[in-house]
Amino acid sequence: MRLPLLLIIVGILLLLLGGVPAVFEFMNMQGFFIDPTESLFPAHWFIMIYGFFGALIGNEILVALSVEWSGKTADNKLIVAYLLLVVLGSISSLFLSQQLGLIFILLSMGILLYYSKEYLGVSKIGLLPTTYNWLLFYSIMISTAIVALQLGLGYTIPYINLIFPASLILAVMDRDIALVTGVKISRHWENVLAFILLVIGMGIYPNGSILMILAWILSFHASGLYRFKGRRYPMLHLTTAWIYLLIASILVFNYDIYIHAIAVGFLFNTVFGVDVVLMDLFVNAFGRRIHVKPSYIPFTLLNVGLIMRILYDFGLSIPILLLAAPLQGIGILSFFVLTLKQVVMVK
């Protein structure tokens, strides 16, 4: 089995391991009579951020983006070591302690930080590092520092760990957003400033609302999404993602809305919407160029479920809102199932 494919499969398994307990936990909060995964929920955030997103980001940095920039993937031993550390960190957080899990994750971050030097050199076609390259490097460096900080403190701060996937996605968008909108980014300084403000704003939660709103304004303007140009499917996902980022920036007073507007609304809509990145992942996983027809089913399920969750967080309590968490979970899972099904069936 190809290592990139293994990273994808492990990522999906970790998604299930971290996601299913969260679905039952939220349903239990709403009055559902059973929660069979209650004991697994405390590790939910850890596994989702450093397990699922960790595997996805590792695939990006060590494989997909690396092939584009340097013409090669990371050494197989490095990829295997990274994957093992991510799995060990996730399992440790679940069955042993989150502090032990952070040790494994710190080592995995060290691998990403070590390999990110590839992006600071000249590309395979002679290009010098761009804003995207440097933001990628600083995102990993900041995320590594956040993990180390929590180890030093002796306790975890769940919300601050969202900086890892959120900042890295903002970094990658500095390059990939133009592939979706067709609008070339001319003011990269806006993304740089947005990156800085977002990291600081998320880091000083709940006091960073103004900084996050400013980050949103700058990143949204730089993205060109407001021009409504580009392909419909990714534009819909990315516009929705940025709407949720704004919601999180404004509604910081509600912890559940803040966390899930970023983790589900912003991150997953971006991952689903930037099909260019996904295709790079699958090309390296299956060794062939593919074309995947997007489905609006995952988008609908994910976002209807998240809207229902937000309504519940605002105090609305009606039976149908019990479907909020299941719809989000099914929406996320259906995206990977439908996408992988098309990829596997391509001859």
Side-chain angles (χ1 to χ4, degrees), residues 6-73:
L6 183 60
L7 271 169
I8 292 174
I9 292 173
V10 170
I12 294 174
L13 291 175
L14 290 171
L15 170 66
L16 290 171
L17 184 61
V20 171
V23 170
F24 279 109
E25 176 70 15
F26 192 71
M27 291 176 68
N28 183 254
M29 287 171 53
Q30 295 174 289
F32 191 62
F33 65 93
I34 188 172
D35 185 0
T37 59
E38 182 179 5
S39 63
L40 305 180
F41 177 72
H44 153 69
W45 69 267
F46 193 108
I47 296 173
M48 291 301 295
I49 293 174
Y50 293 116
F52 168 68
F53 280 112
L56 196 67
I57 289 169
N59 212 335
E60 278 283 280
I61 293 173
L62 300 176
V63 181
L65 297 179
S66 180
V67 170
E68 289 186 6
W69 184 256
S70 63
K72 64 181 187 301
T73 68

Side-chain angles (χ1 to χ4, degrees), residues 57-183:
I57 289 169
N59 212 335
E60 278 283 280
I61 293 173
L62 300 176
V63 181
L65 297 179
S66 180
V67 170
E68 289 186 6
W69 184 256
S70 63
K72 64 181 187 301
T73 68
D75 184 82
N76 283 345
K77 293 179 181 178
L78 205 61
I79 298 175
V80 170
Y82 176 81
L83 181 58
L84 284 175
L85 289 169
V86 166
V87 171
L88 287 172
S90 300
I91 297 301
S92 296
S93 72
L94 186 62
F95 296 111
L96 298 173
S97 75
Q98 291 184 353
Q99 287 298 105
L100 178 60
L102 284 176
I103 292 175
F104 288 118
I105 296 304
L106 183 63
L107 293 173
S108 72
M109 287 290 187
I111 290 176
L112 294 183
L113 194 59
Y114 165 77
Y115 191 73
S116 64
K117 70 180 188 299
E118 287 287 334
Y119 298 97
L120 303 183
V122 179
S123 76
K124 63 182 179 181
I125 59 174
L127 297 176
L128 294 175
T130 63
T131 305
Y132 136 76
N133 298 68
W134 286 101
L135 289 180
L136 199 69
F137 171 75
Y138 283 118
S139 173
I140 299 169
M141 187 172 70
I142 292 167
S143 300
T144 303
I146 288 171
V147 174
L149 171 66
Q150 293 171 101
L151 277 171
L153 292 173
Y155 59 87
T156 57
I157 310 170
Y159 65 82
I160 202 173
N161 294 278
L162 272 176
I163 290 175
F164 171 44
S167 65
L168 198 131
I169 277 184
L170 208 61
V172 174
M173 285 300 96
D174 184 73
R175 184 204 69 163
D176 288 344
I177 197 75
L179 302 177
V180 172
T181 63
V183 179

